[in-house]
C-alpha cells in the first residue's frame, strides 16, 4: 500500500511552534484534510490538494482521510495544538474502529504538536508545574452535568486545571456556570489565567482571581488555567509570573 496517513498538530498559532517532523510531513503530503482555518494555515503548492470542512464534521473528515490514504494518497490530517488533545487523532481512530476493514492495514502515524495548554502555561511561567487536569468545557459532545461533576471533583482533588473551549456565542452561559462552580469550590482568591491567541500577533494574557474574573474575559480562542491551592504569583516589574511548586504540602 503506497498511501499513508499522518495526523499532525500545527501548534497554537506561530509557525515557529510547528515541529520539524510535522513540517516534513506537510512537504511530502499530496492531500491535507482538516477544519478550514487549520487547512488554511498550510501554504498551497503544486501537487497538494487542501480539503477543508466544517468544525463539526470530524468523523466524516476522518473517513475521507482514511479513504484517500487507501487510494494511495499521502494524507496529512491537521489540527491546531496537539492532535491528541481534543482534536483529530481520536476522531480518526473512532472512524477506523468501525469503518472499512481495509483501513486497518494503512500506515497511520500521530505526530505531536505543542498544545495551547502548554503554550499558555509557558507564557506566564509554570502554573501546570505540579499535578493538573485538562477539561473541554464544550457541551457539544457531552452533557453539562458531566462537565460540572468533573469540575467539582478536580477542585476537590486540588488539581490545577486547564480549560479548552470556554465560551462561544452559541453557549455563553456555560462559562458563567463554570466560574460559579469554581468560586464555590475554590474560593474567590484562587488564581486564574486567561491566555488568548497565544503565540500569535493577537496574543493577550491576563492573570487575575476567580473573584475578579468575568465570563467575557474568555472566548473560543482563549485557554483558561485555574491554579491549585499551591499556585503562586511572583510580582515584579513588567509581567508577573505564575507557577505551581513541584512539591505539595
Amino acid at each position: 500500500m503506497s498511501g499513508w496517513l499522518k495526523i499532525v498538530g500545527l501548534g497554537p498559532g506561530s509557525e515557529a511552534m510547528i515541529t520539524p517532523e510535522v513540517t516534513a510531513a506537510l512537504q511530502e503530503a499530496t492531500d491535507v484534510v482538516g477544519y478550514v482555518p487549520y487547512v488554511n494555515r498550510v501554504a498551497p503548492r503544486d501537487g497538494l490538494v487542501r480539503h477543508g470542512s466544517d468544525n463539526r464534521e470530524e468523523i466524516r473528515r476522518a473517513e475521507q482521510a482514511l479513504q484517500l490514504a487507501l487510494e494511495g494518497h499521502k494524507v496529512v490530517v491537521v489540527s491546531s495544538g496537539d492532535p491528541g488533545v481534543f482534536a483529530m487523532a481520536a476522531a480518526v481512530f473512532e472512524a477506523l474502529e468501525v469503518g472499512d476493514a481495509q483501513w486497518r492495514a494503512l500506515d497511520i502515524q500521530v505526530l505531536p504538536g505543542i498544545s495551547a495548554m502548554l503554550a499558555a502555561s509557558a507564557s506566564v511561567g509554570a502554573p501546570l508545574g505540579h499535578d493538573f487536569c485538562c477539561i473541554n468545557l464544550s457541551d457539544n459532545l457531552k452533557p453539562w452535568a458531566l462537565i460540572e461533576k468533573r469540575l467539582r471533583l478536580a477542585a476537590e482533588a486540588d488539581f490545577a486545571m486547564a480549560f479548552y473551549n470556554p465560551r462561544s456565542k452559541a453557549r455563553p452561559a456555560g462559562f458563567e456556570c463554570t466560574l460559579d462552580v469554581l468560586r464555590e469550590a475554590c474560593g474567590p482568591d484562587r488564581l486564574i489565567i486567561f491566555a488568548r491567541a497565544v503565540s500569535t500577533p493577537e496574543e493577550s494574557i491576563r492573570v487575575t482571581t476567580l473573584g475578579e474574573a468575568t465570563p467575557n474575559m474568555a472566548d473560543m480562542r482563549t485557554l483558561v488555567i485555574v491554579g491549585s491551592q499551591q499556585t503562586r504569583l511572583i510580582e515584579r516589574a513588567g509581567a508577573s509570573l505564575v507557577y505551581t511548586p513541584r512539591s505539595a504540602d
Side-chain angles (χ1 to χ4, degrees), residues 78-96:
V78 292
S79 297
S80 66
D82 180 275
V85 179
F86 306 129
M88 281 302 299
V92 169
F93 296 134
E94 185 176 349
L96 179 69

Side-chain angles (χ1 to χ4, degrees), residues 52-171:
S53 54
D54 184 76
N55 193 33
R56 297 195 181 189
E57 298 182 13
E58 289 90 349
I59 298 302
R60 189 198 67 79
R61 181 185 306 144
E63 292 170 343
Q64 178 188 26
L66 288 160
Q67 187 58 35
L68 284 168
L70 184 65
E71 293 169 3
H73 297 247
K74 298 175 180 179
V75 185
V76 172
V77 176
V78 292
S79 297
S80 66
D82 180 275
V85 179
F86 306 129
M88 281 302 299
V92 169
F93 296 134
E94 185 176 349
L96 179 69
E97 183 178 16
V98 299
D100 189 330
Q102 296 180 86
W103 292 345
R104 297 195 178 201
L106 289 168
D107 176 7
I108 301 174
Q109 298 179 56
V110 179
L111 307 184
I114 297 173
S115 71
M117 170 179 61
L118 298 181
S121 178
S123 71
V124 296
L128 304 180
H130 194 54
D131 296 340
F132 69 90
C133 68
C134 182
I135 300 174
N136 186 344
L137 294 180
S138 171
D139 60 359
N140 287 334
L141 298 176
K142 61 179 182 286
W144 168 255
L146 179 59
I147 296 172
E148 182 173 346
K149 177 181 179 180
R150 289 176 174 172
L151 288 171
R152 293 188 183 280
L153 290 173
E156 180 182 345
D158 197 29
F159 287 114
M161 295 169 264
F163 300 127
Y164 279 75
N165 302 320
R167 185 171 181 264
S168 70
K169 293 180 180 179
R171 44 177 185 81

Side-chain angles (χ1 to χ4, degrees), residues 2-249:
S2 59
W4 49 251
L5 175 60
K6 297 183 181 181
I7 312 159
V8 313
L10 298 177
S14 169
E15 288 190 12
M17 290 194 180
I18 300 176
T19 69
E21 184 180 39
V22 169
T23 297
L26 290 169
Q27 290 172 345
E28 192 177 352
T30 60
D31 297 78
V32 171
V33 177
Y35 178 38
V36 171
Y38 306 150
V39 169
N40 288 344
R41 289 177 58 185
V42 180
R45 59 169 170 80
D46 291 342
L48 178 69
V49 180
R50 301 188 301 173
H51 307 265
S53 54
D54 184 76
N55 193 33
R56 297 195 181 189
E57 298 182 13
E58 289 90 349
I59 298 302
R60 189 198 67 79
R61 181 185 306 144
E63 292 170 343
Q64 178 188 26
L66 288 160
Q67 187 58 35
L68 284 168
L70 184 65
E71 293 169 3
H73 297 247
K74 298 175 180 179
V75 185
V76 172
V77 176
V78 292
S79 297
S80 66
D82 180 275
V85 179
F86 306 129
M88 281 302 299
V92 169
F93 296 134
E94 185 176 349
L96 179 69
E97 183 178 16
V98 299
D100 189 330
Q102 296 180 86
W103 292 345
R104 297 195 178 201
L106 289 168
D107 176 7
I108 301 174
Q109 298 179 56
V110 179
L111 307 184
I114 297 173
S115 71
M117 170 179 61
L118 298 181
S121 178
S123 71
V124 296
L128 304 180
H130 194 54
D131 296 340
F132 69 90
C133 68
C134 182
I135 300 174
N136 186 344
L137 294 180
S138 171
D139 60 359
N140 287 334
L141 298 176
K142 61 179 182 286
W144 168 255
L146 179 59
I147 296 172
E148 182 173 346
K149 177 181 179 180
R150 289 176 174 172
L151 288 171
R152 293 188 183 280
L153 290 173
E156 180 182 345
D158 197 29
F159 287 114
M161 295 169 264
F163 300 127
Y164 279 75
N165 302 320
R167 185 171 181 264
S168 70
K169 293 180 180 179
R171 44 177 185 81
F175 189 57
E176 182 175 0
C177 294
T178 296
L179 291 176
D180 288 341
V181 168
L182 292 173
R183 279 191 281 261
E184 178 186 336
C186 304
D189 297 329
R190 189 67 59 88
L191 290 170
I192 182 170
I193 300 151
F194 295 89
R196 186 180 188 278
V198 175
S199 84
T200 76
E202 295 80 40
E203 175 179 299
S204 65
I205 308 294
R206 180 182 303 194
V207 180
T208 186
T209 63
L210 282 173
E212 296 294 324
T214 60
N216 62 7
M217 291 180 181
D219 63 13
M220 289 295 283
R221 297 188 71 191
T222 307
L223 194 291
V224 180
I225 297 176
V226 174
S228 71
Q229 292 185 62
Q230 307 293 323
T231 303
R232 301 173 187 174
L233 176 68
I234 301 175
E235 295 183 358
R236 60 176 190 157
S240 297
L241 295 171
V242 181
Y243 83 104
T244 303
R246 293 176 60 197
S247 59
D249 295 338

